[in-house]
């Protein structure tokens, strides 16, 4: 089962600042929905744990997250490989950054591929849940990068 | 009184209905350990590493096993039945280096409880590198991604079956109908108890199994060399199988894992019980088959004169037993029709899906569906009513030798059609159909004629692989009069729900002139007490022929000994003796006198008091073993010609189906099933098996399908998505039978039970009849509401059928 996703958003931060945030695993990973913990393996890779919940099927997924591409200040791309409850998933998430109106246009895209028991048991539920979680991730990134009036940008 | 054709109460029901059956999971013993399998979530992936440290550190976990360990422990991988390149495939019970299908076991955990074993499994870390999955046979034949590097190709078998004068028949045809693609879907069976085994590898080297394998004679031959022990060191017991439908022929791979796990624990008993999801995901699926570029030649009267086609079989990840399916279909080459000219190019390919295994109607059902589709498509295209089309083409003279040398023993298909029409109320439904069409409703009437070929000639395996040392067939039974005068029978086959105990006791009762109640047929199967041969097992609708012939032969020999013994005791001539029941139980008596000797006396004399016997009776033991061998010869492997099976039971079904135009839901309004399995031993048991096969087939036609996505995920691996049929979904079946006794079996029986997939043919035919007016040709065997809706939605697209009329 493959889920493709893409979109874009604008923020007022500079492209360099935005890149610095998105290419920093320690800042990016906590924005993942249901984030639990992060353990850096080296500069580019980390073990991230997140909660997974699809209906009554619940567990902790372990993801090996790797910063595959880091082209300052225009592009950052992560790949992830995870497993949970006899299932596996592969994740790609990329960010292309363009300067716009003194801020940054963030074009995001990615692919989530899932395999195994979860797909079999909850196949019909995965797509809507994944789409919701991707929206939560993007919302969290936007909020961290551009919190709006009264807020404080992360990083 | 004769016991043949009667329906005494089933002996098996005494325990099964009272909840006293013995299934594998009922087995308990002190210190029993439990096995859990860790399975690949990927359909195709390199296994980079397996870390079992955390699992082994979990309290209660005894040990783990990985593919690498298993490879070291096994002297050789399991034999694949196919010739090269299939023979080069290395097949271990745990994946070695690479997972080839989703759900393939990659590691095992042994623990004190099932829950601890599962917890241990969750702690095993497997690092995979995912590879592209090959999910269709057509894709596999492109060989872009090779599944088994040792084979070097995904095509595991290919052969051309050509008979008659095909090109001449097409040159002379009045009409040629071309069908671009037909597809038979994947489904399997849903037994009461899934695969299960308890293994105990004893310190002195012997190996005990309590399991539900349904073809022990075959399993032993594969397990012994792979585990490095002799067949005689392997003790296999089965009891109540819980339904096999052929699927459990192939659970020897899981038996091996449990055995190796027991060995690693130092000989403790290790139990493995498959969950339902595991069963659906990985235990074995029926063959999926695609029929390409089919052309049918017909004469001006609508009689089919030739068929040429290309068939591709998808056998999943490992061929194992499966290449036999590349030839077994040819037992029914012309189906029930008199076509003499054929050219079928048959290929088989491996894909990243669950391995295919024998499944009720194994390999023949797919071909019979193909032939029935041809009949209905041609009938509709030529505007010939479906019943007339069949009557024009049915074989009517028996015995009938098919173009490839098989001999159909007996049958009367027109009479079956007439009976089915009568049962369903054909004329009435035709009127209702016309009315419904006038109202814009979609109502179809479909006929399916099918064959249930029984008693294989294993020599057909040599057509697929000339080097295989298999041919003929055989089955064994023993019968004895024990110390107390009881009649004890053992069978070579382990039944899996076919009521062998009951029907065998009827045959013995018939022969000895006693009641079936007085015959004890031992339940289950035990290599320690049952005698058996390599062919022994429950498969291929053969028990009424092979099993009961063995019982009958044993009875004949026993009666001869009993006559000699009784003649000595009663000082009478053998010719004056008769079998029956007297005041003191089963006996032999002197006709017209009150002189008799009962079984107790004779049993005691032979076993306890034999010094009084005359010397010439020294060979009388009242303990008989008889092997029945059908009269087969080895087929001509070059011509692919020979008698591949002994008997041909037939079924003819008619269904009336209405399609909901808005949602595509197919609703069965009426259903009739007529069976001809020759002489019927027990009508109630035959009726039960006809109903079971009908339910199975309707479930497959409308509800059950294994659907994979493009990455090899099985999307239907629980009963939420793979919906087996229940009594709630079954239509009322109008059941009838005719009997055309087989001239090739001693009792006229043909064997039955598999059913030949008749409902699949029938439902496809009825749906096409309902939708033909909408421009639809049915080219798939599965008909969920979604798929029927898609047929209606896309009805303006090509039907994939071209008709060329020449005269």
């Amino acid at each position: 089962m493959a889920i493709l996703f893409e979109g874009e958003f604008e923020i007022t931060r500079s492209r360099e600042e935005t890149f610095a945030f998105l290419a920093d695993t320690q800042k990016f990973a906590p924005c993942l929905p249901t984030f639990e913990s992060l353990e850096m393996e080296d500069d580019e890779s980390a073990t991230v744990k997140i909660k997974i919940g699809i209906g009554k099927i619940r567990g902790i997924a372990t993801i090996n997250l790797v910063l595959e591409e880091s082209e300052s200040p225009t592009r950052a791309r992560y790949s992830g490989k995870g497993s949970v409850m006899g299932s596996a998933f592969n994740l790609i998430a990329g960010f292309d950054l363009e300067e716009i109106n003194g801020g940054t246009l963030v074009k995001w895209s990615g692919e989530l591929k899932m395999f195994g028991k979860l797909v079999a048991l909850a196949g019909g539920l995965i797509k809507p849940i994944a789409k919701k979680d991707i929206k939560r991730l993007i919302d969290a990134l936007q909020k961290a990068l551009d919190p709006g009036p009264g807020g404080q940008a992360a990083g | 009184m004769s016991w043949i054709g009667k329906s005494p109460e089933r002996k098996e029901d005494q325990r099964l209905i009272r909840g006293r059956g013995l299934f594998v999971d009922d087995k308990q013993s002190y210190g029993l350990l439990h096995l859990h399998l860790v399975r690949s979530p990927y359909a195709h992936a390199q296994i980079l590493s397996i870390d079992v440290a955390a699992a082994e550190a979990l309290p209660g976990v005894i040990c783990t096993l990985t593919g690498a360990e298993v490879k070291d422990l096994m002297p050789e991988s399991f034999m694949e039945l196919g010739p090269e390149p299939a023979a080069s495939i290395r097949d271990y019970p745990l994946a070695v280096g690479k997972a080839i299908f989703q759900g393939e076991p990659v590691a095992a955990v042994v623990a004190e409880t099932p829950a601890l074993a599962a917890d241990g499994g969750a702690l095993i870390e497997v690092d995979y590198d995912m590879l592209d999955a090959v999910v269709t046979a057509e894709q596999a034949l492109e060989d872009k991604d090779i599944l088994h590097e040792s084979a070097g190709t995904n095509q595991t078998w290919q052969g051309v079956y050509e008979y008659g004068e095909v090109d001449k028949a097409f040159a002379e045809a009045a009409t040629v109908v071309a069908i671009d693609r037909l597809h038979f879907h994947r489904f399997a069976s849903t037994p009461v108890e899934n695969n299960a085994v308890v293994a105990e590898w004893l310190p002195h080297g012997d190996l005990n199994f309590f399991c539900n394998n349904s073809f022990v004679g075959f399993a032993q031959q594969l397990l012994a060399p792979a585990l490095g022990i002799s067949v005689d060191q392997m003790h296999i017991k089965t009891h109540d199988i819980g339904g096999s439908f052929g699927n459990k022929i192939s659970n020897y791979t899981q038996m091996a894992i449990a055995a190796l796990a027991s060995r690693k624990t130092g000989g403790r008993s290790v139990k493995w019980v498959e969950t339902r999801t595991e069963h659906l995901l990985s235990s074995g699926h029926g063959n999926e088959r695609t029929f390409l570029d089919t052309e049918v030649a017909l004469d001006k009267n609508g009689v089919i004169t030739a068929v040429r086609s290309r068939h591709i079989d998808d056998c999943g990840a490992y061929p194992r037993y499966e290449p036999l399916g590349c030839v077994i279909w040819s037992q029914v080459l012309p189906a029930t029709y008199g076509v003499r000219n054929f050219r079928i190019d048959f290929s088989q390919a491996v894909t990243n899906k669950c391995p295919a295994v024998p499944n009720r109607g194994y390999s023949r059902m797919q071909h019979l569906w193909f032939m029935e589709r041809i009949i209905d498509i041609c009938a509709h295209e030529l505007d010939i009513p479906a019943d007339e089309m069949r009557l024009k083409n049915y074989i009517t003279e028996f015995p009938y030798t098919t173009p490839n040398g098989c001999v159909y023993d007996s049958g009367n298909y027109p009479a079956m059609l007439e009976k089915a029409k009568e049962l369903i109320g054909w004329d009435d439904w035709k009127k209702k159909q016309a009315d419904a069409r006038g109202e814009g409703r979609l109502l179809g009437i479909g006929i399916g004629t099918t064959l249930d070929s029984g008693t294989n000639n294993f020599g057909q395996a040599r057509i697929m692989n000339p080097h295989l040392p298999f041919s003929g067939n055989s089955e064994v039974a023993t019968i004895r009069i024990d110390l107390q005068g009881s009649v004890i029978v053992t069978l070579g086959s382990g039944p899996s729900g076919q009521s062998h105990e009951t029907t065998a006791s009827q045959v013995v009762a018939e022969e000895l002139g006693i009641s079936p109640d007085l015959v004890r047929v031992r339940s289950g199967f035990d290599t320690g007490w049952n005698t058996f041969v390599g062919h022994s097992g429950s498969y291929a609708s053969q028990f009424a022929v092979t099993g009961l012939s063995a019982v009958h032969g044993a009875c004949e020999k026993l009666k001869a000994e009993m006559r000699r013994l009784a003649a000595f005791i009663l000082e009478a001539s053998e010719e004056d003796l008769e079998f029956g029941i007297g005041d003191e139980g089963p006996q032999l008596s002197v006709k017209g006198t009150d002189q008799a000797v009962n079984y107790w006396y004779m049993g005691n004399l032979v076993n306890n008091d034999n010094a009084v016997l005359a010397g010439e009776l020294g060979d009388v033991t009242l303990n008989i073993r008889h092997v029945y061998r059908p009269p087969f010869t080895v087929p001509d492997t070059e011509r692919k010609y020979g008698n591949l099976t002994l008997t041909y039971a037939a079924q003819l079904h008619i269904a009336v189906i209405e399609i909901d135009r808005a949602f595509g839901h197919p609703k069965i309004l009426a259903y009739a099933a007529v069976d001809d399995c020759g002489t019927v031993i027990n009508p109630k048991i035959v009726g039960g098996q006809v109903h079971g096969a009908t339910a199975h087939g309707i479930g497959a036609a409308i509800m059950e399908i294994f659907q994979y996505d493009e990455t090899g995920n099985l999307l239907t691996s629980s009963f939420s998505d793979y919906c087996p049929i229940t009594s709630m979904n079954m239509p009322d079946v109008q059941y009838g039978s005719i009997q055309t006794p087989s001239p090739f079996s001693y009792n006229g029986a043909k064997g039955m039970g598999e059913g030949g997939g008749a409902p699949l043919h029938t439902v496809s035919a009825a749906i096409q009849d309902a939708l033909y007016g909408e421009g639809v040709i049915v080219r798939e065997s599965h008909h969920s509401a979604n798929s029927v809706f898609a047929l209606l939605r896309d009805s303006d697209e090509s039907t994939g059928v071209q008709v060329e009329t020449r005269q």
Side-chain angles (χ1 to χ4, degrees):
Chain A
M1 170 182 277
I3 304 166
L4 297 171
F5 47 92
E6 62 178 357
E8 59 183 39
F9 59 85
E10 280 182 43
I11 50 173
T12 57
R13 272 205 190 190
S14 72
R15 185 160 66 161
E16 284 72 17
E17 286 177 314
T18 305
F19 175 82
F21 181 93
L22 291 173
D24 183 342
T25 308
Q26 298 190 64
K27 289 175 182 164
F28 169 73
C31 292
L32 290 165
T34 63
F35 171 81
E36 284 279 301
S37 68
L38 168 84
E39 189 180 328
M40 293 302 294
E41 305 293 337
D42 55 42
D43 288 348
E44 275 81 39
S45 60
T47 299
V48 179
K49 290 185 188 284
I50 61 170
K51 280 186 191 167
I52 294 278
I54 302 173
K56 292 192 180 299
I57 307 169
R58 294 180 183 278
I60 300 287
T62 304
I63 311 171
N64 295 314
L65 192 65
V66 179
L67 180 62
E68 294 274 3
E69 290 179 42
S70 175
E71 294 171 22
S72 178
T74 57
R75 179 168 171 76
R77 183 173 176 274
Y78 289 93
S79 72
K81 203 159 78 164
S83 63
V84 59
M85 295 180 288
S87 305
F89 56 89
N90 294 356
L91 173 74
I92 294 169
F95 301 93
D96 289 299
L97 311 179
E98 293 176 16
E99 286 183 327
I100 184 168
N101 304 326
T104 306
L105 175 67
V106 180
K107 291 183 173 176
W108 51 271
S109 63
E111 183 183 48
L112 174 67
K113 280 186 176 172
M114 296 204 66
F115 312 91
K117 199 185 286 181
L118 271 183
V119 181
L121 293 177
L125 296 172
I126 288 175
K127 276 194 181 175
I129 289 172
K131 282 184 179 169
K132 198 168 127 193
D133 280 350
I134 288 160
K135 184 177 181 310
R136 288 170 65 191
L137 169 64
I138 298 303
D139 287 348
L141 289 173
Q142 268 186 283
K143 193 174 174 188
L145 286 162
D146 200 358
Q152 189 176 353
Chain B
M1 145 178 206
S2 172
W3 288 100
I4 304 303
K6 301 287 191 310
S7 297
E9 285 186 0
R10 288 202 331 145
K11 285 177 173 281
E12 295 84 351
D13 288 342
Q14 286 295 323
R15 63 176 187 280
L16 293 174
I17 290 178
R18 292 164 194 263
R20 292 174 187 164
L22 178 60
F23 297 89
V24 177
D25 202 20
D26 294 327
K27 183 84 173 171
Q28 298 295 336
S29 64
Y30 177 75
L32 182 67
L33 298 174
H34 300 268
L35 179 74
H36 175 83
L37 296 176
V38 176
R39 296 174 181 276
S40 171
Y42 295 105
H44 197 192
Q46 293 289 350
I47 298 168
L48 303 177
S49 64
I50 301 178
D51 185 349
V52 298
E56 293 199 333
L58 184 70
V61 168
I62 307 301
C63 67
T64 62
L65 272 176
T66 64
E69 269 183 282
V70 160
K71 188 182 175 193
D72 287 341
L73 290 169
M74 290 172 63
E76 54 188 80
S77 72
F78 287 119
M79 180 177 78
E80 305 290 303
L81 290 190
E84 295 292 349
S88 299
I89 290 172
R90 301 278 80 86
D91 180 7
Y92 291 96
L94 294 178
V96 178
K98 190 176 170 185
I100 314 284
F101 67 100
Q102 187 183 66
E104 181 171 12
V106 297
V109 183
V110 181
E112 288 168 356
T113 68
L116 278 171
D119 286 350
L123 293 173
I124 289 183
E125 290 190 14
V126 186
D127 191 11
Y128 297 97
D129 184 14
M130 193 184 97
L131 302 168
D132 288 338
V134 177
V135 292
T136 70
E138 288 146 292
Q139 188 189 353
L141 290 180
E142 292 171 7
D143 272 349
K144 284 182 184 162
D145 296 290
I146 302 292
L147 273 62
H148 298 280
E149 285 82 2
S150 55
T153 174
N154 295 325
Q155 181 172 292
T156 49
W157 198 82
Q158 188 271 334
V160 177
Y161 293 79
E162 182 160 357
Y163 309 97
E165 297 179 288
V166 179
D167 294 336
K168 183 167 177 276
F170 273 93
E172 294 173 355
T175 308
V176 173
V177 176
I179 307 162
D180 67 347
R181 187 176 195 274
L182 297 165
H183 177 250
F184 191 92
H185 72 291
R186 267 183 178 242
F187 61 93
S189 304
T190 48
V192 174
E193 180 172 59
N194 296 321
N195 293 304
V197 57
V198 179
E200 184 186 26
W201 198 312
L202 300 170
H204 64 274
D206 281 13
L207 177 55
N208 292 333
F209 283 118
F210 181 62
C211 63
N212 52 23
N213 183 280
S214 59
F215 192 174
V216 167
F218 178 72
Q220 276 195 320
Q221 293 177 64
L222 292 178
L223 281 164
L227 296 176
I229 60 175
S230 72
V231 164
D232 189 55
Q233 286 177 286
M234 197 181 303
H235 311 297
I236 303 181
K237 289 184 188 179
T238 68
H239 206 270
D240 292 310
I241 299 285
S244 166
F245 313 102
N247 295 181
K248 285 176 179 162
I249 288 174
S250 301
N251 64 15
Y252 60 88
T253 59
Q254 294 101 330
M255 290 166 69
I257 302 173
L260 294 169
S262 170
R263 182 175 164 184
K264 192 167 178 181
T265 65
R268 292 177 69 177
S269 289
V270 174
K271 182 196 273 187
W272 174 72
V273 178
E274 187 176 51
T275 65
R276 184 62 66 182
T277 291
E278 286 181 306
H279 183 78
L280 295 171
L281 184 66
S282 63
S283 80
H285 296 171
N287 307 61
E288 183 177 352
R289 195 170 296 168
T290 306
F291 309 89
L292 297 172
D293 308 326
T294 301
E295 291 180 294
V296 186
L298 300 102
D299 71 11
K300 62 182 185 331
N301 298 315
V303 174
I304 295 175
T305 56
V307 174
R308 56 190 176 199
S309 185
R310 193 157 60 90
H311 299 178
I312 308 174
D313 207 61
D314 171 357
C315 72
Y318 293 94
R320 293 179 181 160
Y321 184 96
E322 181 45 42
L324 277 178
C326 296
V327 67
I328 280 178
W329 66 271
S330 67
Q331 294 172 6
V332 293
L333 173 75
T336 52
Y337 306 108
V339 190
R340 301 300 307 176
N341 305 297
F342 278 94
R343 182 187 298 135
I344 307 286
D345 183 338
F346 196 101
S347 300
Q348 190 171 66
V350 285
T351 60
N352 292 119
K353 296 193 281 194
C354 177
V357 299
N359 186 44
R360 197 174 201 165
Y362 175 44
S363 190
R364 297 148 292 165
M365 164 175 63
Q366 289 83 344
H367 183 73
L368 290 156
W369 178 82
F370 164 76
M371 290 297 291
E372 288 292 285
R373 285 287 71 232
I374 283 178
I375 286 285
D376 278 307
I377 290 170
C378 291
H380 270 126
E381 294 294 329
L382 302 183
D383 199 22
I384 300 171
D387 53 341
E388 281 181 32
M389 185 70 182
R390 286 174 169 80
L391 290 170
K392 286 172 186 286
N393 283 281
Y394 277 148
I395 293 163
T396 52
E397 300 288 329
F398 296 90
Y400 177 82
T401 303
T402 67
N404 60 328
C406 294
V407 182
Y408 289 6
D409 48 349
S410 62
N412 189 339
Y413 312 135
M416 294 176 79
L417 178 58
E418 202 50 44
K419 180 129 194 169
K421 280 179 159 184
E422 191 184 307
L423 284 169
I424 205 156
W426 177 269
D427 294 338
D428 194 31
W429 275 113
K430 279 290 183 186
K431 284 182 198 143
K432 287 180 187 170
Q433 183 182 38
D435 293 345
R437 285 181 173 167
E439 296 164 10
R441 289 159 56 206
L442 303 171
L443 196 142
I445 305 174
I447 302 167
T449 320
T450 203
L451 293 170
D452 189 353
S453 49
T455 306
N456 286 336
N457 176 357
F458 276 79
Q460 67 201 283
R462 297 197 196 181
I463 291 174
M464 180 272 297
N465 183 355
H467 305 296
L468 288 178
F470 305 130
S471 69
N473 198 329
S474 51
E475 192 49 281
V476 193
T478 67
I479 186 166
R480 67 189 167 92
I481 305 295
D482 75 2
L483 283 168
Q484 296 177 310
S486 301
V487 182
I488 311 294
V489 176
T490 69
L491 306 171
S493 63
S496 49
Q498 299 90 341
S499 314
H500 290 182
E501 293 163 51
T502 302
T503 51
S505 71
Q506 285 180 255
V507 168
V508 174
E510 177 81 4
E511 291 301 313
L512 298 182
I514 59 177
S515 155
D517 293 343
L518 298 170
V519 181
R520 173 172 151 78
V521 181
R522 277 187 164 167
S523 309
F525 180 85
D526 183 337
T527 54
W529 80 42
N530 296 70
T531 69
F532 58 100
V533 288
H535 303 118
S536 289
S538 288
Y539 55 90
S541 293
Q542 65 177 20
F543 181 73
V545 176
T546 58
L548 294 185
S549 292
V551 171
H552 176 257
C555 284
E556 292 283 298
K557 289 178 180 173
L558 178 69
K559 284 165 69 177
E561 283 199 356
M562 292 174 80
R563 276 198 201 94
R564 286 172 63 199
L565 187 60
F568 167 76
I569 296 165
L570 298 172
E571 296 181 337
S573 76
E574 290 185 37
E575 292 72 32
D576 291 337
L577 297 174
E578 61 184 0
F579 288 84
I581 301 180
D583 294 339
E584 295 182 345
Q587 66 176 23
L588 274 86
S589 58
V590 182
K591 291 175 196 166
T593 73
D594 59 356
Q595 294 178 64
V597 57
N598 69 9
Y599 287 12
W600 174 84
Y601 190 87
M602 286 191 280
N604 186 68
L605 202 62
V606 169
N607 293 294
N608 274 338
D609 192 15
N610 52 27
V612 303
L613 288 175
E616 65 268 25
L617 293 175
D619 60 335
V620 170
T621 61
L622 303 184
N623 190 350
I624 304 294
R625 176 181 191 261
H626 181 74
V627 179
Y628 165 74
R629 292 194 184 104
F632 285 130
T633 56
V634 178
D636 179 337
T637 56
E638 287 295 315
R639 292 170 60 211
K640 299 183 177 66
Y641 187 92
N643 194 13
L644 307 184
T645 197
L646 194 69
T647 60
Y648 287 85
Q651 290 206 322
L652 195 144
H653 292 200
I654 298 178
V656 181
I657 293 180
E658 180 160 10
I659 306 295
D660 181 322
R661 192 182 279 277
F663 299 104
H665 176 66
K667 184 177 183 188
I668 297 176
L669 304 180
Y671 202 97
V674 174
D675 178 72
D676 174 12
C677 61
T679 303
V680 172
I681 309 299
N682 184 315
K684 194 187 282 183
I685 288 169
V686 167
Q689 295 199 40
V690 170
H691 278 77
T694 303
H696 199 171
I698 291 174
I702 292 178
M703 301 167 69
E704 300 177 32
I705 182 169
F706 289 120
Q707 278 184 313
Y708 283 88
D709 69 12
E710 69 284 354
T711 56
N713 272 310
L714 179 60
L715 304 176
T716 51
S717 65
S718 74
F719 276 175
S720 298
D721 301 298
Y722 186 95
C723 302
I725 196 163
T726 69
S727 59
M728 301 299 287
N729 310 108
M730 269 292 281
D732 285 336
V733 175
Q734 304 300 313
Y735 164 59
S737 67
I738 70 166
Q739 294 188 34
T740 61
S742 174
F744 302 150
S745 60
Y746 92 89
N747 53 8
K750 299 185 187 181
M752 55 84 60
E754 293 200 65
L760 286 139
H761 323 329
T762 310
V763 170
S764 289
I767 289 176
Q768 183 178 303
D769 191 48
L771 302 184
Y772 185 73
E774 306 289 314
V776 168
I777 290 286
V778 169
R779 289 181 288 163
E780 291 278 340
S781 56
H782 186 67
H783 308 290
S784 65
N786 277 353
S787 62
V788 176
F789 180 79
L791 283 176
L792 272 167
R793 184 193 58 202
D794 304 334
S795 62
D796 55 345
E797 295 178 7
S798 166
T799 61
V801 175
Q802 302 289 325
V803 180
E804 182 191 344
T805 306
R806 296 169 178 170
Q807 294 171 23

